[in-house]
Amino acid sequence: MRNIIHKILLILISVNLTAQIHQYKWSEPVNLSELNTEGNDFAPSWNRYDSVLFFNSDISKYSKFYSTRINEFGKFAEPKLVAGDINLSRNN
């Protein structure tokens, strides 16, 4: 009897999860022209504690780390190279 109840519960949970997955619709992607460059921009990482976006780009021929913040207009500011030893070598 216990096994039957467990199976029924598993079926109900799986049906509910499946229904929730099918109801979710992703929003359309938005091109952030202030961040996207002609180079390869990749590996974004949002630091929620400092409200900083870190990412990697090879716009300068070599792969370098950049950071940017959201400005007072709600847009990302111009990305800047991350300071320190991380960008000293040619490729990161």
Side-chain angles (χ1 to χ4, degrees):
M1 182 69 168
R2 196 173 217 187
N3 283 340
I4 293 174
I5 293 173
H6 284 133
K7 288 179 184 180
I8 291 171
L9 286 173
L10 284 174
I11 290 170
L12 290 174
I13 290 170
S14 67
V15 167
N16 187 27
L17 288 175
T18 304
Q20 288 178 5
I21 289 170
H22 290 295
Q23 289 176 3
Y24 187 80
K25 180 172 176 10
W26 293 97
S27 61
E28 291 296 317
V30 176
N31 183 7
L32 298 175
S33 58
E34 60 270 18
L35 297 182
N36 292 337
T37 67
E38 294 176 5
N40 293 313
D41 305 314
F42 53 95
S45 180
W46 179 252
N47 179 325
R48 67 180 178 178
Y49 303 107
D50 295 327
S51 297
V52 177
L53 177 69
F54 294 96
F55 65 97
N56 204 292
S57 179
D58 66 3
I59 188 67
S60 64
K61 185 178 174 184
Y62 296 108
S63 178
K64 300 286 183 185
F65 289 100
Y66 293 83
S67 68
T68 183
R69 294 178 183 268
I70 295 177
N71 63 24
E72 64 272 9
F73 304 110
K75 302 241 179 210
F76 281 103
E78 182 178 340
K80 297 184 182 191
L81 278 171
V82 173
D85 294 343
I86 195 164
N87 280 323
L88 290 181
S89 66
R90 293 172 115 192
N91 264 329
N92 295 296

Coordinates of all heavy atoms in Angstrom, one line a residue:
M1 N 0.8 -1.2 0.0 CA 0.0 0.0 0.0 C 0.9 1.3 0.0 O 0.6 2.2 -0.7 CB -0.9 0.0 1.2 CG -1.8 1.1 1.3 SD -3.0 1.0 0.0 CE -4.2 2.2 0.4
R2 N 2.0 1.2 0.8 CA 2.8 2.4 0.9 C 3.5 2.7 -0.5 O 3.7 3.8 -0.8 CB 3.9 2.1 1.9 CG 4.6 3.3 2.4 CD 5.5 2.9 3.6 NE 5.5 4.0 4.5 CZ 6.3 4.0 5.6 NH1 7.0 3.0 5.9 NH2 6.2 5.1 6.4
N3 N 3.9 1.6 -1.2 CA 4.5 1.8 -2.5 C 3.5 2.4 -3.5 O 4.0 3.3 -4.3 CB 5.0 0.5 -3.1 CG 6.3 0.0 -2.4 OD1 7.0 0.8 -1.8 ND2 6.6 -1.3 -2.5
I4 N 2.3 2.1 -3.4 CA 1.3 2.7 -4.3 C 1.1 4.1 -4.0 O 1.1 5.0 -5.0 CB 0.0 1.9 -4.2 CG1 0.1 0.5 -4.7 CG2 -1.1 2.6 -4.9 CD1 -1.1 -0.4 -4.5
I5 N 1.1 4.5 -2.8 CA 1.0 5.9 -2.4 C 2.2 6.7 -2.9 O 2.1 7.8 -3.5 CB 0.8 6.1 -0.9 CG1 -0.6 5.5 -0.5 CG2 0.9 7.5 -0.5 CD1 -0.8 5.4 1.0
H6 N 3.4 6.1 -2.7 CA 4.6 6.8 -3.2 C 4.6 7.0 -4.7 O 4.9 8.1 -5.2 CB 5.8 6.0 -2.8 CG 6.2 6.2 -1.4 ND1 6.5 5.1 -0.6 CD2 6.3 7.3 -0.6 CE1 6.8 5.6 0.6 NE2 6.6 6.9 0.7
K7 N 4.1 6.0 -5.4 CA 4.0 6.1 -6.9 C 3.0 7.1 -7.3 O 3.3 7.9 -8.3 CB 3.7 4.7 -7.5 CG 4.8 3.7 -7.4 CD 4.4 2.4 -8.0 CE 5.6 1.4 -7.8 NZ 5.3 0.1 -8.4
I8 N 1.9 7.2 -6.7 CA 0.9 8.2 -7.0 C 1.4 9.6 -6.7 O 1.3 10.5 -7.6 CB -0.4 7.9 -6.2 CG1 -1.1 6.7 -6.7 CG2 -1.4 9.1 -6.3 CD1 -2.3 6.2 -5.9
L9 N 2.1 9.8 -5.6 CA 2.7 11.1 -5.3 C 3.8 11.5 -6.3 O 3.8 12.6 -6.8 CB 3.3 11.1 -3.9 CG 2.3 11.1 -2.8 CD1 3.0 10.9 -1.4 CD2 1.6 12.4 -2.8
L10 N 4.6 10.5 -6.7 CA 5.6 10.8 -7.8 C 5.0 11.2 -9.1 O 5.4 12.1 -9.8 CB 6.5 9.6 -8.0 CG 7.6 9.4 -6.9 CD1 8.3 8.1 -7.1 CD2 8.5 10.6 -6.8
I11 N 3.9 10.5 -9.5 CA 3.2 10.9 -10.7 C 2.6 12.3 -10.6 O 2.8 13.1 -11.5 CB 2.1 9.8 -11.0 CG1 2.8 8.5 -11.4 CG2 1.2 10.3 -12.1 CD1 1.8 7.3 -11.5
L12 N 2.0 12.6 -9.5 CA 1.4 13.9 -9.3 C 2.4 15.0 -9.4 O 2.3 16.1 -10.0 CB 0.6 14.0 -8.0 CG -0.7 13.2 -8.0 CD1 -1.3 13.2 -6.6 CD2 -1.7 13.7 -9.0
I13 N 3.6 14.8 -8.7 CA 4.6 15.8 -8.7 C 5.2 16.0 -10.1 O 5.4 17.1 -10.5 CB 5.7 15.4 -7.7 CG1 5.2 15.5 -6.3 CG2 7.0 16.2 -7.9 CD1 6.1 14.9 -5.2
S14 N 5.4 14.9 -10.8 CA 6.0 15.0 -12.2 C 5.1 15.7 -13.1 O 5.5 16.5 -14.0 CB 6.5 13.6 -12.7 OG 5.3 12.8 -12.9
V15 N 3.8 15.4 -13.0 CA 2.8 16.1 -13.9 C 2.8 17.6 -13.6 O 2.8 18.4 -14.5 CB 1.4 15.4 -13.7 CG1 0.3 16.3 -14.3 CG2 1.3 14.0 -14.2
N16 N 2.8 17.9 -12.3 CA 2.8 19.3 -11.9 C 4.1 20.0 -12.4 O 4.0 21.1 -13.0 CB 2.7 19.4 -10.4 CG 2.5 20.9 -10.0 OD1 2.0 21.7 -10.7 ND2 3.0 21.2 -8.7
L17 N 5.2 19.4 -12.3 CA 6.5 20.0 -12.7 C 6.5 20.2 -14.3 O 6.9 21.2 -14.8 CB 7.7 19.2 -12.3 CG 8.0 19.3 -10.8 CD1 9.2 18.3 -10.5 CD2 8.4 20.7 -10.4
T18 N 6.0 19.2 -15.0 CA 5.9 19.2 -16.4 C 5.0 20.4 -16.9 O 5.4 21.1 -17.8 CB 5.4 17.9 -17.0 OG1 6.3 16.9 -16.6 CG2 5.4 17.9 -18.5
A19 N 3.9 20.6 -16.2 CA 3.0 21.6 -16.5 C 3.7 23.0 -16.3 O 3.5 23.9 -17.1 CB 1.7 21.5 -15.7
Q20 N 4.4 23.1 -15.2 CA 5.1 24.4 -14.9 C 6.2 24.7 -16.0 O 6.3 25.9 -16.4 CB 5.7 24.4 -13.5 CG 4.7 24.4 -12.4 CD 5.3 24.3 -11.0 OE1 6.6 24.3 -10.9 NE2 4.5 24.2 -10.0
I21 N 6.9 23.7 -16.4 CA 7.9 23.9 -17.4 C 7.3 24.4 -18.7 O 7.9 25.3 -19.3 CB 8.8 22.6 -17.6 CG1 9.6 22.4 -16.4 CG2 9.6 22.7 -18.8 CD1 10.3 21.0 -16.3
H22 N 6.2 23.9 -19.1 CA 5.6 24.2 -20.4 C 5.0 25.6 -20.4 O 4.7 26.2 -21.4 CB 4.6 23.1 -20.8 CG 5.3 21.9 -21.3 ND1 6.1 21.8 -22.3 CD2 5.3 20.6 -20.7 CE1 6.6 20.5 -22.5 NE2 6.1 19.8 -21.5
Q23 N 4.6 26.1 -19.2 CA 4.0 27.4 -19.1 C 5.0 28.5 -19.1 O 4.7 29.7 -19.4 CB 3.2 27.5 -17.8 CG 2.0 26.6 -17.8 CD 1.3 26.7 -16.4 OE1 1.7 27.4 -15.5 NE2 0.2 25.9 -16.3
Y24 N 6.3 28.3 -18.8 CA 7.3 29.3 -18.8 C 7.7 29.7 -20.2 O 8.0 28.8 -21.0 CB 8.5 28.9 -18.0 CG 9.5 30.0 -17.8 CD1 9.3 30.9 -16.8 CD2 10.6 30.1 -18.6 CE1 10.1 32.0 -16.6 CE2 11.5 31.2 -18.4 CZ 11.2 32.1 -17.4 OH 12.1 33.1 -17.3
K25 N 7.8 31.0 -20.5 CA 8.2 31.5 -21.8 C 9.4 32.4 -21.6 O 9.3 33.4 -20.8 CB 7.1 32.2 -22.5 CG 7.5 32.7 -23.9 CD 6.4 33.2 -24.7 CE 6.7 33.8 -26.0 NZ 7.9 33.7 -26.6
W26 N 10.5 32.1 -22.2 CA 11.7 33.0 -22.1 C 11.4 34.3 -22.9 O 10.8 34.3 -23.9 CB 12.9 32.3 -22.7 CG 13.4 31.1 -22.0 CD1 13.1 29.8 -22.2 CD2 14.2 31.1 -20.8 NE1 13.6 29.0 -21.3 CE2 14.3 29.8 -20.4 CE3 14.8 32.1 -20.0 CZ2 15.1 29.4 -19.3 CZ3 15.5 31.7 -18.9 CH2 15.7 30.4 -18.6
S27 N 12.0 35.4 -22.4 CA 11.8 36.6 -23.1 C 12.8 36.6 -24.3 O 13.8 35.9 -24.3 CB 12.2 37.8 -22.1 OG 13.5 37.7 -21.7
E28 N 12.5 37.5 -25.2 CA 13.4 37.6 -26.4 C 14.7 38.2 -26.0 O 14.7 39.1 -25.1 CB 12.7 38.5 -27.5 CG 11.5 37.8 -28.1 CD 11.8 36.6 -28.8 OE1 12.8 36.6 -29.6 OE2 11.1 35.6 -28.7
P29 N 15.8 37.8 -26.6 CA 17.1 38.4 -26.2 C 17.2 39.8 -26.7 O 16.6 40.2 -27.7 CB 18.1 37.5 -27.0 CG 17.3 36.7 -27.9 CD 15.9 36.7 -27.5
V30 N 18.0 40.6 -25.9 CA 18.1 42.0 -26.3 C 19.6 42.3 -26.5 O 20.5 41.9 -25.7 CB 17.6 42.9 -25.1 CG1 17.9 44.4 -25.3 CG2 16.2 42.7 -24.8
N31 N 19.9 43.0 -27.6 CA 21.3 43.3 -27.9 C 21.7 44.5 -27.1 O 21.2 45.5 -27.2 CB 21.4 43.6 -29.4 CG 22.9 43.9 -29.8 OD1 23.8 43.7 -29.0 ND2 23.1 44.3 -31.0
L32 N 22.7 44.2 -26.3 CA 23.3 45.3 -25.4 C 24.5 45.9 -26.2 O 25.6 45.5 -26.0 CB 23.7 44.8 -24.1 CG 22.6 44.2 -23.2 CD1 23.2 43.6 -21.9 CD2 21.6 45.3 -22.9
S33 N 24.2 46.9 -27.1 CA 25.2 47.4 -27.9 C 26.3 48.1 -27.2 O 27.4 48.2 -27.7 CB 24.6 48.4 -28.9 OG 23.9 49.5 -28.2
E34 N 26.1 48.5 -25.9 CA 27.2 49.1 -25.2 C 28.2 48.1 -24.7 O 29.3 48.4 -24.3 CB 26.7 50.0 -24.0 CG 25.8 49.2 -23.0 CD 24.3 49.2 -23.3 OE1 23.9 49.4 -24.4 OE2 23.6 48.9 -22.4
L35 N 27.8 46.8 -24.7 CA 28.7 45.7 -24.3 C 29.2 44.9 -25.5 O 30.3 44.4 -25.5 CB 28.0 44.8 -23.3 CG 27.6 45.4 -22.0 CD1 27.0 44.4 -21.1 CD2 28.8 46.1 -21.3
N36 N 28.4 44.6 -26.4 CA 28.7 43.8 -27.6 C 29.7 44.4 -28.5 O 29.5 45.6 -28.9 CB 27.5 43.3 -28.4 CG 26.6 42.4 -27.6 OD1 27.0 41.8 -26.6 ND2 25.3 42.4 -28.0
T37 N 30.8 43.7 -28.8 CA 31.8 44.3 -29.7 C 32.0 43.4 -30.9 O 31.3 42.4 -31.0 CB 33.2 44.3 -29.0 OG1 33.6 43.0 -28.7 CG2 33.1 45.1 -27.6
E38 N 32.8 43.8 -31.8 CA 33.1 43.0 -33.0 C 33.9 41.7 -32.6 O 34.0 40.8 -33.4 CB 33.8 43.8 -34.0 CG 33.0 45.0 -34.6 CD 33.8 45.8 -35.5 OE1 34.9 45.5 -35.9 OE2 33.2 46.8 -36.0
G39 N 34.5 41.8 -31.5 CA 35.3 40.6 -31.0 C 34.4 39.6 -30.4 O 33.2 39.7 -30.4
N40 N 35.0 38.5 -29.8 CA 34.3 37.5 -29.1 C 34.2 38.0 -27.6 O 35.2 38.2 -26.9 CB 35.1 36.2 -29.1 CG 35.1 35.6 -30.5 OD1 34.1 35.6 -31.2 ND2 36.3 35.2 -31.0
D41 N 32.9 38.2 -27.2 CA 32.6 38.6 -25.8 C 32.0 37.4 -25.2 O 31.0 36.8 -25.7 CB 31.7 39.8 -25.8 CG 32.2 40.9 -26.6 OD1 33.3 41.3 -26.5 OD2 31.4 41.5 -27.4
F42 N 32.5 37.0 -24.0 CA 32.1 35.7 -23.5 C 32.3 35.7 -22.0 O 33.0 36.5 -21.4 CB 32.7 34.5 -24.1 CG 34.2 34.6 -24.2 CD1 35.0 33.9 -23.2 CD2 34.9 35.2 -25.2 CE1 36.3 34.0 -23.2 CE2 36.2 35.3 -25.2 CZ 37.0 34.7 -24.2
A43 N 31.8 34.6 -21.3 CA 32.0 34.3 -19.9 C 31.5 35.5 -19.0 O 32.3 35.9 -18.1 CB 33.4 33.9 -19.6
P44 N 30.3 36.0 -19.1 CA 29.9 37.0 -18.2 C 29.6 36.5 -16.8 O 29.2 35.4 -16.7 CB 28.5 37.5 -18.9 CG 28.0 36.3 -19.6 CD 29.3 35.6 -20.1
S45 N 29.9 37.3 -15.8 CA 29.7 36.9 -14.5 C 29.2 38.2 -13.7 O 30.0 39.2 -13.6 CB 30.9 36.4 -13.8 OG 30.7 36.0 -12.5
W46 N 28.0 38.1 -13.1 CA 27.5 39.3 -12.4 C 27.8 39.2 -10.9 O 27.5 38.2 -10.3 CB 25.9 39.3 -12.6 CG 25.3 40.4 -11.9 CD1 24.5 40.3 -10.8 CD2 25.3 41.8 -12.2 NE1 24.1 41.6 -10.4 CE2 24.5 42.5 -11.3 CE3 25.9 42.5 -13.2 CZ2 24.4 43.9 -11.3 CZ3 25.8 43.9 -13.2 CH2 25.0 44.6 -12.3
N47 N 28.4 40.2 -10.4 CA 28.7 40.3 -9.0 C 27.6 41.1 -8.3 O 27.6 42.3 -8.4 CB 30.1 41.0 -8.8 CG 30.4 41.1 -7.3 OD1 29.6 41.3 -6.5 ND2 31.7 41.0 -7.0
R48 N 26.7 40.4 -7.7 CA 25.5 41.0 -7.2 C 25.8 41.9 -5.9 O 25.0 42.7 -5.6 CB 24.4 40.0 -6.9 CG 24.8 39.1 -5.7 CD 23.7 38.1 -5.5 NE 24.1 37.2 -4.5 CZ 23.3 36.2 -4.0 NH1 22.1 36.1 -4.5 NH2 23.7 35.4 -3.1
Y49 N 26.9 41.6 -5.3 CA 27.3 42.4 -4.1 C 27.8 43.7 -4.4 O 27.6 44.7 -3.7 CB 28.3 41.6 -3.2 CG 27.8 40.2 -2.9 CD1 28.3 39.1 -3.5 CD2 26.8 40.1 -1.9 CE1 27.8 37.8 -3.1 CE2 26.3 38.8 -1.6 CZ 26.8 37.7 -2.2 OH 26.3 36.5 -1.9
D50 N 28.5 43.9 -5.5 CA 29.1 45.1 -5.9 C 28.4 45.7 -7.2 O 28.8 46.7 -7.7 CB 30.6 45.0 -6.2 CG 31.4 44.7 -5.0 OD1 31.0 45.1 -3.9 OD2 32.4 43.9 -5.1
S51 N 27.4 45.0 -7.7 CA 26.7 45.4 -8.9 C 27.7 45.7 -10.1 O 27.6 46.7 -10.7 CB 25.8 46.6 -8.7 OG 24.8 46.3 -7.7
V52 N 28.5 44.7 -10.3 CA 29.5 44.8 -11.4 C 29.4 43.6 -12.3 O 29.2 42.5 -11.8 CB 31.0 44.8 -10.8 CG1 32.0 44.9 -12.0 CG2 31.1 46.0 -9.9
L53 N 29.5 43.8 -13.6 CA 29.5 42.7 -14.6 C 30.9 42.5 -15.1 O 31.5 43.5 -15.5 CB 28.6 43.0 -15.8 CG 28.6 42.0 -16.9 CD1 27.9 40.7 -16.4 CD2 27.9 42.5 -18.2
F54 N 31.5 41.3 -14.9 CA 32.8 41.0 -15.4 C 32.6 40.1 -16.6 O 31.7 39.3 -16.7 CB 33.6 40.2 -14.4 CG 33.9 41.0 -13.1 CD1 33.1 41.0 -12.0 CD2 35.0 41.8 -13.1 CE1 33.5 41.7 -10.9 CE2 35.4 42.6 -12.0 CZ 34.6 42.5 -10.9
F55 N 33.4 40.3 -17.6 CA 33.3 39.4 -18.8 C 34.7 39.4 -19.5 O 35.6 40.2 -19.2 CB 32.2 39.9 -19.8 CG 32.4 41.2 -20.4 CD1 33.0 41.4 -21.7 CD2 32.1 42.4 -19.7 CE1 33.2 42.6 -22.2 CE2 32.2 43.6 -20.3 CZ 32.8 43.7 -21.5
N56 N 34.8 38.5 -20.5 CA 36.0 38.4 -21.2 C 35.8 38.8 -22.7 O 34.7 38.5 -23.2 CB 36.5 36.9 -21.1 CG 38.0 36.8 -21.4 OD1 38.4 37.0 -22.4 ND2 38.7 36.4 -20.3
S57 N 36.7 39.4 -23.3 CA 36.6 39.8 -24.7 C 38.0 39.8 -25.4 O 39.0 40.1 -24.7 CB 36.0 41.3 -24.8 OG 35.9 41.7 -26.1
D58 N 38.0 39.5 -26.6 CA 39.2 39.5 -27.4 C 39.2 40.7 -28.4 O 39.8 40.6 -29.5 CB 39.5 38.2 -28.1 CG 38.5 37.8 -29.1 OD1 37.6 38.6 -29.4 OD2 38.7 36.7 -29.7
I59 N 38.5 41.7 -28.1 CA 38.4 42.9 -29.0 C 39.8 43.5 -29.2 O 40.1 44.1 -30.3 CB 37.4 43.9 -28.5 CG1 37.2 45.1 -29.5 CG2 37.8 44.5 -27.2 CD1 36.5 44.6 -30.7
S60 N 40.7 43.4 -28.3 CA 42.0 44.0 -28.4 C 43.0 43.0 -28.9 O 44.2 43.1 -28.7 CB 42.5 44.5 -27.0 OG 42.6 43.4 -26.1
K61 N 42.6 42.0 -29.7 CA 43.4 40.9 -30.3 C 43.7 39.8 -29.3 O 43.7 38.6 -29.7 CB 44.7 41.4 -30.9 CG 45.5 40.4 -31.7 CD 46.7 41.0 -32.3 CE 47.6 39.9 -32.9 NZ 48.8 40.5 -33.4
Y62 N 43.9 40.1 -28.0 CA 44.1 39.1 -27.0 C 42.9 39.1 -26.1 O 42.3 40.1 -25.8 CB 45.4 39.4 -26.2 CG 46.6 39.3 -27.1 CD1 47.3 40.5 -27.5 CD2 47.1 38.1 -27.6 CE1 48.4 40.4 -28.3 CE2 48.2 38.0 -28.4 CZ 48.9 39.2 -28.7 OH 50.0 39.1 -29.5
S63 N 42.7 37.9 -25.5 CA 41.6 37.8 -24.5 C 41.9 38.5 -23.2 O 42.9 38.2 -22.6 CB 41.4 36.3 -24.3 OG 40.3 36.1 -23.4
K64 N 41.1 39.4 -22.9 CA 41.3 40.2 -21.7 C 40.0 40.3 -20.8 O 38.9 40.1 -21.4 CB 41.7 41.7 -22.0 CG 43.0 41.8 -22.8 CD 44.2 41.6 -22.0 CE 45.4 41.8 -22.8 NZ 46.6 41.4 -22.0
F65 N 40.1 40.6 -19.5 CA 39.0 40.7 -18.6 C 38.6 42.2 -18.5 O 39.4 43.0 -18.3 CB 39.3 40.2 -17.2 CG 39.5 38.7 -17.2 CD1 40.7 38.1 -17.3 CD2 38.4 37.9 -17.2 CE1 40.9 36.7 -17.3 CE2 38.5 36.5 -17.2 CZ 39.7 35.9 -17.2
Y66 N 37.3 42.4 -18.6 CA 36.7 43.7 -18.5 C 35.6 43.7 -17.4 O 35.1 42.7 -17.0 CB 36.0 44.1 -19.8 CG 37.0 44.3 -21.0 CD1 37.5 43.2 -21.7 CD2 37.4 45.6 -21.3 CE1 38.4 43.4 -22.8 CE2 38.3 45.8 -22.3 CZ 38.8 44.7 -23.1 OH 39.7 44.9 -24.1
S67 N 35.3 44.9 -17.0 CA 34.2 45.1 -16.0 C 33.4 46.3 -16.4 O 33.9 47.3 -17.0 CB 34.7 45.2 -14.6 OG 35.4 46.4 -14.4
T68 N 32.1 46.4 -16.0 CA 31.3 47.5 -16.2 C 30.2 47.5 -15.1 O 29.9 46.5 -14.5 CB 30.7 47.5 -17.6 OG1 29.9 48.7 -17.8 CG2 29.8 46.3 -17.8
R69 N 29.6 48.7 -14.9 CA 28.5 48.9 -14.0 C 27.3 49.5 -14.7 O 27.5 50.1 -15.7 CB 28.9 49.8 -12.8 CG 30.0 49.3 -11.9 CD 30.3 50.3 -10.9 NE 31.4 49.9 -10.0 CZ 31.2 49.2 -8.9 NH1 30.0 48.9 -8.5 NH2 32.3 48.8 -8.2
I70 N 26.2 49.4 -14.1 CA 25.0 50.1 -14.7 C 25.0 51.5 -14.2 O 25.2 51.8 -13.0 CB 23.7 49.4 -14.2 CG1 23.7 47.9 -14.8 CG2 22.5 50.2 -14.6 CD1 22.5 47.1 -14.4
N71 N 24.9 52.4 -15.1 CA 25.0 53.9 -14.8 C 23.6 54.4 -14.3 O 22.7 53.7 -14.2 CB 25.6 54.7 -16.0 CG 24.7 54.6 -17.2 OD1 23.5 54.4 -17.1 ND2 25.3 54.8 -18.4
E72 N 23.6 55.7 -14.1 CA 22.4 56.4 -13.6 C 21.2 56.3 -14.6 O 20.1 56.6 -14.2 CB 22.7 57.8 -13.1 CG 23.1 58.8 -14.3 CD 24.6 58.7 -14.5 OE1 25.3 57.9 -14.0 OE2 25.1 59.6 -15.3
F73 N 21.5 56.0 -15.9 CA 20.5 56.0 -16.9 C 19.9 54.5 -17.1 O 19.1 54.3 -18.0 CB 21.0 56.5 -18.2 CG 21.5 57.9 -18.1 CD1 22.9 58.2 -18.2 CD2 20.7 59.0 -17.9 CE1 23.4 59.4 -18.1 CE2 21.2 60.3 -17.7 CZ 22.6 60.5 -17.8
G74 N 20.4 53.6 -16.3 CA 20.0 52.2 -16.4 C 20.7 51.4 -17.5 O 20.2 50.3 -17.8
K75 N 21.7 52.0 -18.0 CA 22.5 51.3 -19.1 C 23.9 50.9 -18.5 O 24.4 51.6 -17.6 CB 22.7 52.2 -20.3 CG 21.4 52.6 -20.9 CD 21.3 52.2 -22.3 CE 19.9 52.6 -22.9 NZ 19.5 51.7 -23.8
F76 N 24.5 50.0 -19.2 CA 25.9 49.7 -18.8 C 26.9 50.7 -19.2 O 26.8 51.2 -20.3 CB 26.3 48.3 -19.4 CG 25.8 47.1 -18.6 CD1 24.7 46.4 -19.2 CD2 26.3 46.7 -17.4 CE1 24.2 45.3 -18.5 CE2 25.8 45.7 -16.7 CZ 24.7 45.0 -17.3
A77 N 27.8 51.1 -18.3 CA 28.8 52.1 -18.7 C 29.8 51.5 -19.6 O 29.8 50.3 -19.8 CB 29.5 52.6 -17.4
E78 N 30.7 52.3 -20.2 CA 31.7 51.8 -21.0 C 32.6 50.8 -20.3 O 33.1 51.1 -19.2 CB 32.6 52.9 -21.6 CG 33.6 52.5 -22.6 CD 34.4 53.6 -23.1 OE1 34.0 54.8 -23.0 OE2 35.5 53.4 -23.6
P79 N 32.8 49.6 -20.8 CA 33.6 48.6 -20.1 C 35.1 49.0 -20.0 O 35.6 49.7 -20.9 CB 33.5 47.3 -21.0 CG 32.3 47.5 -21.8 CD 32.2 49.0 -22.0
K80 N 35.7 48.7 -18.9 CA 37.1 49.0 -18.7 C 37.9 47.7 -18.4 O 37.3 46.8 -17.8 CB 37.2 50.0 -17.5 CG 36.5 51.3 -17.8 CD 36.7 52.3 -16.7 CE 36.0 53.5 -17.1 NZ 35.9 54.6 -16.7
L81 N 39.1 47.7 -18.8 CA 40.0 46.6 -18.4 C 40.1 46.4 -16.9 O 40.2 47.4 -16.2 CB 41.4 46.8 -19.0 CG 41.6 46.5 -20.4 CD1 43.0 46.9 -20.9 CD2 41.5 45.0 -20.7
V82 N 40.0 45.2 -16.4 CA 40.2 44.9 -15.0 C 41.6 45.2 -14.7 O 42.5 44.8 -15.3 CB 39.8 43.5 -14.7 CG1 40.1 43.1 -13.2 CG2 38.3 43.2 -15.0
A83 N 41.8 46.0 -13.6 CA 43.2 46.4 -13.2 C 43.8 45.3 -12.5 O 43.2 44.3 -12.0 CB 43.1 47.6 -12.2
G84 N 45.1 45.3 -12.4 CA 45.9 44.3 -11.7 C 46.6 43.3 -12.6 O 46.7 43.5 -13.8
D85 N 47.2 42.3 -12.0 CA 48.0 41.3 -12.7 C 47.2 40.5 -13.7 O 47.8 39.8 -14.5 CB 48.7 40.4 -11.7 CG 49.7 41.2 -10.9 OD1 50.1 42.3 -11.3 OD2 50.2 40.7 -9.9
I86 N 45.9 40.4 -13.6 CA 45.1 39.5 -14.4 C 45.2 39.7 -15.9 O 45.1 38.8 -16.7 CB 43.6 39.5 -13.9 CG1 42.9 38.2 -14.5 CG2 42.9 40.7 -14.3 CD1 41.6 37.9 -13.8
N87 N 45.4 41.0 -16.3 CA 45.5 41.2 -17.7 C 46.9 41.5 -18.2 O 47.1 42.1 -19.3 CB 44.6 42.5 -18.0 CG 43.1 42.1 -18.2 OD1 42.8 41.0 -18.6 ND2 42.3 43.0 -17.7
L88 N 47.9 41.1 -17.5 CA 49.3 41.4 -17.9 C 49.8 40.5 -19.0 O 50.5 40.9 -19.8 CB 50.2 41.3 -16.7 CG 50.1 42.4 -15.6 CD1 51.1 42.2 -14.5 CD2 50.2 43.8 -16.3
S89 N 49.4 39.2 -19.0 CA 49.8 38.3 -20.0 C 49.1 38.5 -21.3 O 48.1 39.3 -21.3 CB 49.7 36.9 -19.6 OG 48.3 36.5 -19.4
R90 N 49.5 37.9 -22.4 CA 48.8 38.1 -23.7 C 47.4 37.6 -23.7 O 46.5 38.3 -24.1 CB 49.7 37.5 -24.8 CG 51.0 38.1 -25.0 CD 51.8 37.3 -25.9 NE 52.0 38.1 -27.1 CZ 52.5 37.6 -28.2 NH1 52.8 36.3 -28.2 NH2 52.7 38.3 -29.2
N91 N 47.2 36.3 -23.3 CA 45.9 35.7 -23.3 C 45.5 35.3 -21.9 O 46.3 34.8 -21.2 CB 45.9 34.5 -24.2 CG 45.4 34.9 -25.6 OD1 44.6 35.7 -25.8 ND2 45.9 34.1 -26.6
N92 N 44.2 35.5 -21.6 CA 43.7 35.0 -20.3 C 42.7 33.9 -20.5 O 41.9 34.0 -21.4 CB 43.1 36.2 -19.6 CG 44.1 37.3 -19.2 OD1 45.0 37.0 -18.5 ND2 44.0 38.4 -19.8

